[in-house]
Amino acid sequence: MRLVFFDARVWRYLVSAISKVIEEGVFVVDPEKGFRFRAMDPSHVILLDMSFPRESFEVYEVDKEYQLGVNLEDVAKVLRRARKEDKLEIRADTNTISFAFVGKGYREFTLPLLDITTEEIPEPELEFKANVKVMSDVYRDTIKDVELVGDVIKFVASDNEFRVQSSSELAEAEIIYTMESGSILEMTVEDTQASMYTLEYFSDLSGAARVADTITIRFSSEMPALIEHEIPQGAKFSFLIAPRVE
């Protein structure tokens, strides 16, 4: 198995974010469907999903399905060595997986594969009554703003605005976005929707937004939220997070 992706830093930021939430997991590489990682955190609060279609790779030599068990923190440490303009080459055999940076030289790191049982996770069937698309830098700034205040993030969407709130005993924060201001790219909402979530997960995963073009936030009142990242070359990263009820 051999894969080559045009920008190693895309993988650097995605895997680094995932490793803050999940320690070990399984990369599934299919000859037709491409590369996918899908797993829940140990507390089953959040479901992570990362996928790269086979067309996103410059080289995609896969003769069968591979299930590659890895320590995500170890992989993240290796990928942090990615430099600007490095391509990423991934190779695997029966016992090892290798990550190589192809740029000014060739730097290769080999890690052992782990024997991890894959967990069958059904596709959730949810309907979201609020859908808000923003630029990735707007999303990242929002997370940084509310991090200053509390440990809960609250989304509120109505006909003409999207509000993100957080509060503690000592302080409050509220960020208001509207279509007119240009901060929202697209928005559809039924009535008014409001729901709260644990901010720590958004903080841990915010690094993934660094390589995303846009972020779409989908939620309904007191229901899970789906945060979708549009990544270059048709790749996607998303997380589904359970609501926080107080």
Side-chain angles (χ1 to χ4, degrees):
M1 186 204 87
R2 178 173 175 261
L3 315 175
V4 176
F5 192 79
F6 83 105
D7 188 347
R9 292 180 305 167
V10 171
W11 291 74
R12 168 186 171 181
Y13 288 115
L14 293 180
V15 176
S16 179
I18 291 171
S19 70
K20 295 179 181 178
V21 178
I22 297 176
E23 182 179 348
E24 296 179 345
V26 177
F27 294 154
V28 178
V29 189
D30 185 271
E32 301 299 326
K33 298 177 182 177
F35 181 106
R36 190 175 191 187
F37 172 82
R38 194 163 182 265
M40 297 192 77
D41 75 307
S43 62
H44 284 207
V45 170
I46 193 166
L47 170 63
L48 301 178
D49 197 338
M50 178 179 70
S51 62
F52 290 80
R54 61 171 294 156
E55 295 78 17
S56 68
F57 295 91
E58 294 183 7
V59 176
Y60 195 82
E61 299 173 354
V62 181
D63 58 346
K64 63 178 182 178
E65 182 183 274
Y66 288 80
Q67 296 193 9
L68 310 172
V70 295
N71 180 298
L72 291 161
E73 186 175 345
D74 288 344
V75 176
K77 287 178 181 177
V78 167
L79 293 176
R80 289 189 191 110
R81 299 302 301 155
R83 299 170 182 164
K84 186 177 181 181
E85 299 179 359
D86 276 347
K87 295 182 180 182
L88 177 66
E89 180 183 77
I90 305 174
R91 292 185 292 112
D93 57 26
T94 305
N95 300 311
T96 63
I97 183 169
S98 297
F99 300 91
F101 303 115
V102 185
K104 293 180 179 179
Y106 183 91
R107 296 173 293 138
E108 184 177 32
F109 303 84
T110 300
L111 300 173
L113 290 174
L114 308 180
D115 184 11
I116 302 175
T117 303
T118 56
E119 179 182 3
E120 289 294 329
I121 304 173
E123 293 285 350
E125 296 182 4
L126 296 170
E127 293 185 7
F128 302 103
K129 296 183 178 181
N131 301 272
V132 184
K133 178 182 281 191
V134 298
M135 294 300 295
S136 60
D137 58 345
V138 170
Y139 171 83
R140 289 176 59 215
D141 285 343
T142 300
I143 301 303
K144 290 179 181 178
D145 286 341
V146 294
E147 282 175 339
L148 299 174
V149 175
D151 59 1
V152 173
I153 187 169
K154 183 177 182 180
F155 298 139
V156 182
S158 58
D159 284 339
N160 56 5
E161 67 179 23
F162 174 56
R163 287 178 284 154
V164 182
Q165 303 168 335
S166 188
S167 63
S168 65
E169 293 181 359
L170 301 176
E172 296 180 356
E174 182 176 55
I175 301 94
I176 301 174
Y177 297 119
T178 63
M179 293 291 292
E180 290 76 14
S181 69
S183 53
I184 297 175
L185 301 176
E186 298 175 15
M187 184 169 75
T188 59
V189 58
E190 297 179 27
D191 304 316
T192 297
Q193 304 296 322
S195 193
M196 295 187 300
Y197 307 92
T198 300
L199 178 56
E200 181 181 4
Y201 291 102
F202 288 83
S203 299
D204 287 343
L205 295 168
S206 63
R210 295 186 63 169
V211 291
D213 295 322
T214 63
I215 307 290
T216 301
I217 301 167
R218 307 185 190 276
F219 69 102
S220 300
S221 291
E222 299 181 1
M223 294 291 290
L226 179 64
I227 314 300
E228 297 178 323
H229 301 56
E230 292 292 334
I231 311 294
Q233 302 295 107
K236 293 184 178 181
F237 172 72
S238 66
F239 63 90
L240 182 72
I241 181 168
R244 180 162 170 168
V245 180
E246 294 186 346

